Amino acid sequence: MPLILGIESSCDDLAVALVRDGHEVLASVVHSQDAVHSPYGGVVPELASRDHVRHLYTTVQRALECAGVPLDAVAGIGVTAGPGLVGSLLVGLCFAKALAFRTGKPLMAVHHIEGHLASARLDRDPLELPFVGLVVSGGHTALYRVDTLTQIQLLGQTRDDAAGEAFDKVAKRMGLGYPGGREIDLIAGQGDPQAIDFPRPMLREPGLDLSFSGLKTAVALEVGRAERRAGGTLPAGDRADIAASFQEAVVDVLVEKARRALAATGLPGLALVGGLAANRRLRARMADLGAELGVDVRFPPPALCTDNAAMIAAVADRLLREGRVAKLDLEAFSRVRLDRRPEGWQ
Ligand code: KG4
Ligand code: ZN
């Protein structure tokens, strides 16, 4: 029953978790930087890494206290080594290396997307492998075939913006806070999803690739039109209708692509993971798809959909079982493919 300490610092959230046996979350602590970046309307990389430096040690201590275990009880350390902001990644990686060196415990290098996909297994009754994984986050939107937590094949991905990025940019254009995805989710509940017929990108094309940049532009134009009609600021009713119609367009595309991926692979399970998996409309529509197709559709609880370290520890558990311990001179990478782990990551 190995206990793994996970560390995630790839972007603006700092997270530390303790996970037993690859799926039992004893503690999952997230130190959010939303307040640091919100005045700028986006993540400022230099501020992100500085904030990680300030809070990493205490966040590790908090996680150990929360789990009620001493550091001695930990069998290994898992850390996100890419992709992400290099400055942010390096803070977590250097800390994890030092901790592994000092304690003699094995260190495992985890790919951030492996982590998101593993979040579907953080359950007393984990989703059966193999499954189709749909990662929808602020930086990634892609479909994968997941055979094991470390054997993953890309099926299709966005050609431009990630879905979460589109949510955040639309939210910013409508004067909502940062990150705006959750705000759109809330406001959309008061709007009419049929009010505006926004484009459904890549639905007419065959295959599993996606695109959200054109939709984002269509929404920005619509916001401009509504503002001009009102002679200034966007009225609350228009804002709710635009949010709901935009959200519905994104959800339509994601549901259809998930349907195609399930048909193409014939797999019996679908994991919806990443920050956008917290979206209520997307969860409801994916659950409907699961019921319609008789497919086991899972989405983690919202706190495990957004960046967290429990998902990193889950992958590290698997890597440790496979004997794939990282070398202590491993490097962090801002971009790294899932199917080609860099030298030193193992
Ligand atoms: O996975 P995540 O925490 O970070 C990345 O790895 O990118 O995802 C963050 C993204 C942001 O774009 C945020 O606006 C979006 O997920 N998000 C949501 C919701 N909660 C978070 N988007 C729509 N509805 C939500 N409820
Ligand atoms: Zn993420």
Side-chain angles (χ1 to χ4, degrees):
M1 303 279 258
L3 180 64
I4 304 287
L5 175 77
I7 299 176
E8 152 66 42
S9 69
S10 66
C11 190
D12 58 332
D13 284 329
L14 174 64
V16 179
L18 285 137
V19 173
R20 201 191 296 283
D21 219 16
H23 66 93
E24 190 191 341
V25 183
L26 301 192
S28 176
V29 177
V30 179
H31 172 80
S32 165
Q33 293 184 0
D34 286 354
V36 173
H37 304 288
S38 93
Y40 307 95
V43 176
V44 183
E46 181 63 24
L47 296 182
S49 31
R50 281 169 192 253
D51 199 75
H52 287 330
V53 171
R54 262 194 296 275
H55 295 284
L56 183 47
Y57 183 73
T58 46
T59 309
V60 170
Q61 279 185 318
R62 265 175 64 205
L64 287 167
E65 273 165 27
C66 188
V69 293
L71 184 58
D72 277 354
V74 168
I77 300 155
V79 65
T80 310
L85 300 170
V86 146
S88 286
L89 286 164
L90 281 175
V91 178
L93 182 59
C94 291
F95 186 95
K97 281 182 183 179
L99 196 60
F101 182 71
R102 172 70 182 82
T103 59
K105 295 182 191 295
L107 177 66
M108 277 68 66
V110 178
H111 190 292
H112 184 76
I113 298 304
E114 281 175 341
H116 273 302
L117 290 164
S119 64
R121 305 256 306 158
L122 292 170
D123 197 290
R124 203 166 295 175
D125 165 33
L127 176 62
E128 292 268 339
L129 291 155
F131 57 79
V132 170
L134 173 54
V135 181
V136 267
S137 73
H140 307 267
T141 303
L143 279 151
Y144 298 93
R145 179 191 166 96
V146 183
D147 283 295
T148 73
L149 293 187
T150 56
Q151 244 189 314
I152 297 162
Q153 187 195 338
L154 178 68
L155 300 174
Q157 64 184 327
T158 179
R159 294 186 180 171
D160 41 57
D161 291 356
E165 200 179 338
F167 265 78
D168 292 340
K169 286 183 179 160
V170 163
K172 193 173 173 184
R173 180 66 188 84
M174 295 203 293
L176 304 170
Y178 171 84
R182 213 174 315 131
E183 300 289 320
I184 295 210
D185 185 349
L186 291 174
I187 290 177
Q190 294 139 34
D192 172 9
Q194 316 300 334
I196 304 132
D197 187 20
F198 286 126
R200 267 64 174 161
M202 307 293 290
L203 273 199
R204 261 179 249 134
E205 288 84 345
L208 298 172
D209 276 355
L210 300 131
S211 160
F212 294 102
S213 150
L215 172 60
K216 177 192 70 189
T217 308
V219 176
L221 291 173
E222 183 60 34
V223 172
R225 273 194 289 273
E227 281 172 346
R228 279 193 298 280
R229 266 199 316 270
T233 35
L234 185 67
D238 284 325
R239 199 162 69 172
D241 282 348
I242 293 172
S245 302
F246 159 71
Q247 179 176 273
E248 201 65 12
V250 174
V251 169
D252 275 352
V253 172
L254 293 173
V255 168
E256 174 55 25
K257 295 285 173 168
R259 179 194 295 279
R260 284 185 201 173
L262 288 165
T265 57
L267 293 178
L270 172 74
L272 176 67
V273 299
L276 236 94
N279 183 274
R280 294 170 305 171
R281 182 70 183 146
L282 185 59
R283 289 166 88 96
R285 291 276 307 276
M286 286 291 183
D288 290 347
L289 179 73
E292 179 197 327
L293 302 178
V295 162
D296 189 2
V297 173
R298 301 284 186 96
F299 16 78
L304 296 177
C305 289
T306 45
D307 287 350
N308 66 87
M311 65 187 199
I312 302 305
V315 178
D317 178 281
R318 172 77 196 179
L319 288 165
L320 181 59
R321 285 169 204 262
E322 292 174 357
R324 294 166 66 186
V325 175
K327 295 202 176 127
L328 284 189
D329 62 356
L330 85 151
E331 289 183 56
F333 292 91
S334 60
R335 295 172 74 105
V336 48
R337 284 178 54 155
L338 260 177
D339 56 353
R340 215 178 292 151
R341 291 168 70 83
E343 176 71 29
W345 283 32
Q346 313 310 51

